[in-house]
Amino acid sequence: MSKKCTVCLSFDFDAESVQVRQREEPGRVSKGQFAIRRGIPRIFSLLDRFEIKATFFVCGWVAQEYPQITKMIVSKGHEIAAHGYLHENFDTLSISDEREIIEKTTQSLKEFSEKIKGFRAPYFKLSINTLKLLAEADYIYDSSLMADDRPYLLEVPGTTSKIIEFPVEWFLDDWVIFEDKQHTPSDALDIWKTQFDSLSEMGEIPQNQLVFTLTLHPACIGHAYRINVLEQLISHMKDNKVKFSRMGDVAESLLKEWV
Ligand SMILES: [Zn+2]
């Protein structure tokens, strides 16, 4: 059966934001900084080689701390989307703090890209107010929830706004696979490849509605043996001639169709 789906590779560019917010010791901080020294360069070179445009969810603080890398994300044709300012847990914030953090993050990212269309909650944790605040700030998509295995339309409670949701999953997150579960490279490749093959063989669904979304972290997937797993997965996807897209582009086309 011919394979037909869209692949959205997404990178949560946290660097050492979590460790800085939590005032952790230098060893923990350095684990986040792996993203800067080694992770991001490896990801850029892989994406360049396969001519893939991806989405980077960037913390506002990270964009300010590493403006050269953030500029390169944009100049290479990738999308910048929001991921909190200092990787806050939105679930624990008051509505006014949350609004302030979303505004501050958006402003900080807009120094690099004119329009910020998407948001992913750190830890995949939204509060009950987040979607409403995102709609107020003109965001058109979120990628933090798990109610489907393809994009869906979210009605924003208490408003007439609608937001596209690109669902995530723990088993489609490199941090869970490699750091939490300590899966081997062949297990990781098997899980991701099997999910991709199974989804992309559902030929009755239009290509732009069937989206395989992978959540990756430069400080995690950037390690040598792990980037090799991603390379093998991308090769397999390229062999099957599926389309790679930035999430913002897919969200715009879905909004035109669905709203
Ligand atoms: Zn994150």
Side-chain angles (χ1 to χ4, degrees):
M1 196 182 288
S2 71
K3 293 187 198 290
K4 201 168 69 148
C5 78
T6 302
V7 174
C8 288
L9 296 182
S10 65
F11 297 89
D12 293 2
F13 186 18
D14 307 326
E16 72 273 38
S17 55
V18 182
Q19 293 84 358
V20 167
R21 180 170 50 79
Q22 297 177 343
R23 300 174 199 280
E24 291 183 19
E25 48 83 26
R28 295 290 304 166
V29 173
S30 71
K31 188 160 168 64
Q33 288 170 334
F34 182 88
I36 304 299
R37 295 176 64 92
R38 194 55 54 209
I40 286 276
R42 282 198 176 128
I43 288 162
F44 278 168
S45 112
L46 186 65
L47 297 178
D48 284 352
R49 196 144 40 85
F50 283 99
E51 298 182 333
I52 290 171
K53 305 298 177 209
T55 298
F56 286 73
F57 291 93
V58 185
C59 296
W61 179 87
V62 173
Q64 297 300 314
E65 192 73 7
Y66 300 105
Q68 294 309 326
I69 295 177
T70 309
K71 270 184 208 157
M72 275 179 81
I73 294 175
V74 177
S75 68
K76 285 177 175 295
H78 305 302
E79 173 190 7
I80 286 189
H83 194 47
Y85 191 78
L86 254 179
H87 211 272
E88 296 83 3
N89 181 348
F90 279 58
D91 190 33
T92 63
L93 300 174
S94 69
I95 185 163
S96 60
D97 284 352
E98 206 179 335
R99 183 180 282 118
E100 199 179 306
I101 286 167
I102 289 174
E103 275 170 18
K104 194 174 164 188
T105 305
T106 311
Q107 282 320 313
S108 141
L109 298 180
K110 276 190 172 171
E111 287 177 28
F112 301 90
S113 175
E114 203 180 326
K115 174 100 178 101
I116 306 301
K117 302 171 190 168
F119 176 83
R120 173 172 289 150
Y123 315 104
F124 298 154
K125 277 188 178 172
L126 297 172
S127 79
I128 49 164
N129 301 309
T130 314
L131 291 174
K132 188 166 158 276
L133 296 173
L134 291 175
E136 275 175 17
D138 288 333
Y139 282 77
I140 62 167
Y141 75 89
D142 172 67
S143 181
S144 320
L145 300 175
M146 301 190 180
D148 206 338
D149 57 14
R150 62 206 66 178
Y152 55 99
L153 197 62
L154 280 175
E155 312 267 343
V156 180
T159 74
T160 54
S161 302
K162 292 180 174 58
I163 279 185
I164 300 286
E165 176 65 31
F166 289 85
V168 291
E169 240 307 333
W170 300 118
F171 61 79
L172 298 171
D173 180 323
D174 63 342
W175 201 274
V176 176
I177 291 279
F178 292 113
E179 294 281 331
D180 296 344
K181 305 274 185 203
Q182 300 276 325
H183 280 302
T184 63
S186 52
D187 282 349
L189 185 61
D190 188 36
I191 292 168
W192 290 347
K193 218 165 127 181
T194 306
Q195 174 73 2
F196 165 77
D197 286 343
S198 310
L199 259 192
S200 60
E201 281 162 10
M202 296 177 177
E204 75 280 11
I205 300 161
Q207 189 173 16
N208 66 335
Q209 293 181 24
L210 196 58
V211 179
F212 177 91
T213 305
L214 199 58
T215 300
L216 302 160
H217 300 77
C220 178
I221 199 73
H223 286 282
Y225 81 89
R226 299 173 181 172
I227 202 81
N228 193 32
V229 170
L230 182 59
E231 180 173 352
Q232 290 178 63
L233 179 71
I234 291 174
S235 290
H236 174 70
M237 290 165 160
K238 284 274 179 182
D239 287 346
N240 286 287
K241 301 191 174 23
V242 293
K243 186 180 167 197
F244 287 80
S245 274
R246 302 179 301 186
M247 295 166 90
D249 299 332
V250 179
E252 279 175 345
S253 87
L254 290 176
L255 274 177
K256 271 186 205 146
E257 277 179 41
W258 288 347
V259 178

Short mmCIF file of all heavy atoms in Angstrom, two decimals, residues 31 40 50 52-53 68 98 104 108 116 119-120 122 143 169 177 195 203 209 229 232 235 239 241-243 254:
data_model
loop_
_atom_site.label_atom_id
_atom_site.label_comp_id
_atom_site.label_asym_id
_atom_site.label_seq_id
_atom_site.Cartn_x
_atom_site.Cartn_y
_atom_site.Cartn_z
N LYS A 31 24.23 19.82 31.18
CA LYS A 31 23.45 18.83 30.41
C LYS A 31 22.53 19.55 29.42
O LYS A 31 22.38 19.13 28.28
CB LYS A 31 22.66 17.92 31.35
CG LYS A 31 21.98 16.76 30.64
CD LYS A 31 21.63 15.65 31.59
CE LYS A 31 20.70 14.61 30.94
NZ LYS A 31 21.32 13.89 29.81
N ILE A 40 22.36 21.12 18.56
CA ILE A 40 21.83 21.94 17.45
C ILE A 40 22.68 21.81 16.18
O ILE A 40 22.12 21.58 15.09
CB ILE A 40 21.69 23.42 17.91
CG1 ILE A 40 20.48 23.57 18.85
CG2 ILE A 40 21.60 24.37 16.73
CD1 ILE A 40 19.12 23.75 18.17
N PHE A 50 19.02 16.43 4.35
CA PHE A 50 17.78 15.84 3.81
C PHE A 50 16.82 16.92 3.28
O PHE A 50 15.71 16.60 2.88
CB PHE A 50 17.08 15.01 4.89
CG PHE A 50 17.70 13.66 5.12
CD1 PHE A 50 18.57 13.46 6.17
CD2 PHE A 50 17.42 12.59 4.28
CE1 PHE A 50 19.15 12.22 6.40
CE2 PHE A 50 17.99 11.34 4.49
CZ PHE A 50 18.87 11.15 5.56
N ILE A 52 15.06 19.25 4.83
CA ILE A 52 13.80 19.22 5.60
C ILE A 52 13.65 20.53 6.35
O ILE A 52 14.60 21.01 6.97
CB ILE A 52 13.81 18.05 6.60
CG1 ILE A 52 13.72 16.71 5.84
CG2 ILE A 52 12.66 18.17 7.61
CD1 ILE A 52 13.94 15.50 6.73
N LYS A 53 12.44 21.10 6.30
CA LYS A 53 12.12 22.28 7.13
C LYS A 53 11.31 21.78 8.34
O LYS A 53 10.35 21.02 8.18
CB LYS A 53 11.28 23.30 6.35
CG LYS A 53 11.92 23.75 5.04
CD LYS A 53 13.24 24.44 5.23
CE LYS A 53 13.86 24.81 3.88
NZ LYS A 53 15.33 24.83 3.92
N GLN A 68 22.29 34.17 18.02
CA GLN A 68 22.87 33.72 16.74
C GLN A 68 22.24 32.41 16.29
O GLN A 68 21.91 32.24 15.11
CB GLN A 68 24.40 33.53 16.87
CG GLN A 68 25.16 34.82 17.11
CD GLN A 68 24.80 35.92 16.11
OE1 GLN A 68 24.52 35.67 14.93
NE2 GLN A 68 24.79 37.17 16.57
N GLU A 98 0.50 33.88 33.80
CA GLU A 98 0.53 33.13 32.55
C GLU A 98 0.44 34.08 31.35
O GLU A 98 1.19 33.94 30.38
CB GLU A 98 -0.65 32.15 32.56
CG GLU A 98 -0.40 30.96 31.70
CD GLU A 98 -1.54 29.96 31.71
OE1 GLU A 98 -2.33 29.92 32.67
OE2 GLU A 98 -1.65 29.23 30.71
N LYS A 104 5.56 38.03 27.10
CA LYS A 104 7.01 38.21 27.12
C LYS A 104 7.70 37.26 26.13
O LYS A 104 8.63 37.64 25.41
CB LYS A 104 7.49 37.93 28.56
CG LYS A 104 8.88 38.37 28.87
CD LYS A 104 9.11 38.14 30.37
CE LYS A 104 10.57 38.18 30.72
NZ LYS A 104 10.84 37.77 32.10
N SER A 108 9.70 38.30 22.71
CA SER A 108 11.10 37.91 22.57
C SER A 108 11.33 37.14 21.26
O SER A 108 12.33 37.34 20.57
CB SER A 108 11.49 37.14 23.82
OG SER A 108 12.30 36.09 23.54
N ILE A 116 4.47 34.52 15.17
CA ILE A 116 4.64 33.30 15.96
C ILE A 116 3.26 32.63 16.01
O ILE A 116 2.32 33.15 16.59
CB ILE A 116 5.15 33.62 17.39
CG1 ILE A 116 6.43 34.48 17.33
CG2 ILE A 116 5.38 32.35 18.19
CD1 ILE A 116 7.60 33.86 16.59
N PHE A 119 2.41 27.07 19.77
CA PHE A 119 2.84 26.97 21.17
C PHE A 119 2.89 25.50 21.57
O PHE A 119 2.04 24.71 21.16
CB PHE A 119 1.82 27.69 22.05
CG PHE A 119 2.08 27.59 23.53
CD1 PHE A 119 2.98 28.44 24.16
CD2 PHE A 119 1.41 26.64 24.31
CE1 PHE A 119 3.23 28.35 25.53
CE2 PHE A 119 1.65 26.54 25.67
CZ PHE A 119 2.55 27.40 26.29
N ARG A 120 3.92 25.16 22.36
CA ARG A 120 3.91 23.85 23.03
C ARG A 120 4.22 24.10 24.49
O ARG A 120 5.22 24.74 24.83
CB ARG A 120 4.94 22.90 22.42
CG ARG A 120 5.06 21.59 23.22
CD ARG A 120 5.92 20.55 22.55
NE ARG A 120 5.30 19.99 21.37
CZ ARG A 120 5.97 19.54 20.32
NH1 ARG A 120 7.28 19.58 20.30
NH2 ARG A 120 5.32 19.04 19.27
N PRO A 122 5.65 23.60 28.05
CA PRO A 122 6.71 22.82 28.70
C PRO A 122 6.07 21.67 29.50
O PRO A 122 5.01 21.87 30.12
CB PRO A 122 7.37 23.84 29.63
CG PRO A 122 7.12 25.17 28.98
CD PRO A 122 5.76 25.04 28.35
N SER A 143 0.50 22.37 20.52
CA SER A 143 0.95 20.99 20.37
C SER A 143 1.38 20.47 21.74
O SER A 143 2.57 20.39 22.05
CB SER A 143 2.12 20.92 19.37
OG SER A 143 2.53 19.57 19.21
N GLU A 169 2.66 12.58 22.04
CA GLU A 169 2.53 11.31 22.79
C GLU A 169 3.85 11.04 23.49
O GLU A 169 4.90 11.42 23.00
CB GLU A 169 2.21 10.15 21.84
CG GLU A 169 0.89 9.43 22.11
CD GLU A 169 0.69 8.96 23.54
OE1 GLU A 169 1.68 8.69 24.25
OE2 GLU A 169 -0.48 8.84 23.97
N ILE A 177 11.72 8.31 25.60
CA ILE A 177 12.28 7.08 25.02
C ILE A 177 13.71 6.82 25.52
O ILE A 177 14.05 5.71 25.93
CB ILE A 177 12.26 7.18 23.47
CG1 ILE A 177 10.82 7.14 22.94
CG2 ILE A 177 13.15 6.14 22.81
CD1 ILE A 177 10.21 5.78 22.82
N GLN A 195 5.02 3.07 14.24
CA GLN A 195 3.94 4.06 14.34
C GLN A 195 3.79 4.82 13.01
O GLN A 195 2.68 5.01 12.51
CB GLN A 195 4.23 5.05 15.49
CG GLN A 195 3.25 6.22 15.59
CD GLN A 195 1.88 5.82 16.14
OE1 GLN A 195 1.65 4.66 16.48
NE2 GLN A 195 0.97 6.77 16.18
N GLY A 203 -4.62 5.19 4.05
CA GLY A 203 -4.71 5.97 2.81
C GLY A 203 -6.00 6.72 2.58
O GLY A 203 -6.06 7.60 1.73
N GLN A 209 -4.17 15.95 6.57
CA GLN A 209 -4.86 15.70 7.84
C GLN A 209 -4.23 14.56 8.63
O GLN A 209 -4.53 14.36 9.80
CB GLN A 209 -6.33 15.37 7.57
CG GLN A 209 -7.09 16.56 7.01
CD GLN A 209 -8.54 16.24 6.75
OE1 GLN A 209 -9.12 15.34 7.36
NE2 GLN A 209 -9.15 16.97 5.83
N VAL A 229 19.74 7.26 15.04
CA VAL A 229 18.37 6.70 14.99
C VAL A 229 17.47 7.63 14.18
O VAL A 229 16.70 7.20 13.32
CB VAL A 229 17.80 6.52 16.42
CG1 VAL A 229 16.32 6.18 16.38
CG2 VAL A 229 18.57 5.45 17.18
N GLN A 232 18.20 7.33 10.48
CA GLN A 232 17.62 6.12 9.88
C GLN A 232 16.11 6.27 9.69
O GLN A 232 15.55 5.83 8.69
CB GLN A 232 17.91 4.91 10.75
CG GLN A 232 19.37 4.50 10.74
CD GLN A 232 19.61 3.32 11.66
OE1 GLN A 232 19.07 2.24 11.46
NE2 GLN A 232 20.38 3.53 12.69
N SER A 235 15.53 8.60 6.72
CA SER A 235 15.80 7.88 5.47
C SER A 235 14.63 7.01 5.07
O SER A 235 14.22 6.98 3.92
CB SER A 235 17.01 6.95 5.62
OG SER A 235 18.16 7.68 5.74
N ASP A 239 12.37 7.45 1.79
CA ASP A 239 12.18 6.33 0.84
C ASP A 239 10.72 6.19 0.48
O ASP A 239 10.37 5.72 -0.60
CB ASP A 239 12.65 5.00 1.45
CG ASP A 239 14.16 4.92 1.54
OD1 ASP A 239 14.84 5.75 0.91
OD2 ASP A 239 14.66 4.03 2.28
N LYS A 241 8.66 8.67 0.33
CA LYS A 241 8.24 9.91 -0.35
C LYS A 241 7.11 10.66 0.35
O LYS A 241 6.21 11.18 -0.30
CB LYS A 241 7.86 9.60 -1.81
CG LYS A 241 8.99 9.00 -2.61
CD LYS A 241 8.69 8.95 -4.08
CE LYS A 241 9.85 8.50 -4.94
NZ LYS A 241 10.90 7.70 -4.34
N VAL A 242 7.12 10.66 1.67
CA VAL A 242 6.11 11.45 2.39
C VAL A 242 6.58 12.91 2.40
O VAL A 242 7.73 13.21 2.11
CB VAL A 242 5.88 10.95 3.83
CG1 VAL A 242 5.24 9.59 3.81
CG2 VAL A 242 7.16 10.95 4.62
N LYS A 243 5.64 13.78 2.76
CA LYS A 243 5.95 15.20 2.75
C LYS A 243 6.36 15.66 4.15
O LYS A 243 5.74 15.28 5.13
CB LYS A 243 4.66 15.92 2.32
CG LYS A 243 4.81 17.39 2.10
CD LYS A 243 3.46 17.97 1.66
CE LYS A 243 3.54 19.48 1.75
NZ LYS A 243 2.22 20.09 1.74
N LEU A 254 -5.08 23.66 7.36
CA LEU A 254 -6.20 22.99 8.04
C LEU A 254 -7.27 23.99 8.47
O LEU A 254 -8.47 23.72 8.38
CB LEU A 254 -5.71 22.17 9.23
CG LEU A 254 -4.89 20.92 8.88
CD1 LEU A 254 -4.38 20.26 10.16
CD2 LEU A 254 -5.72 19.93 8.07
#
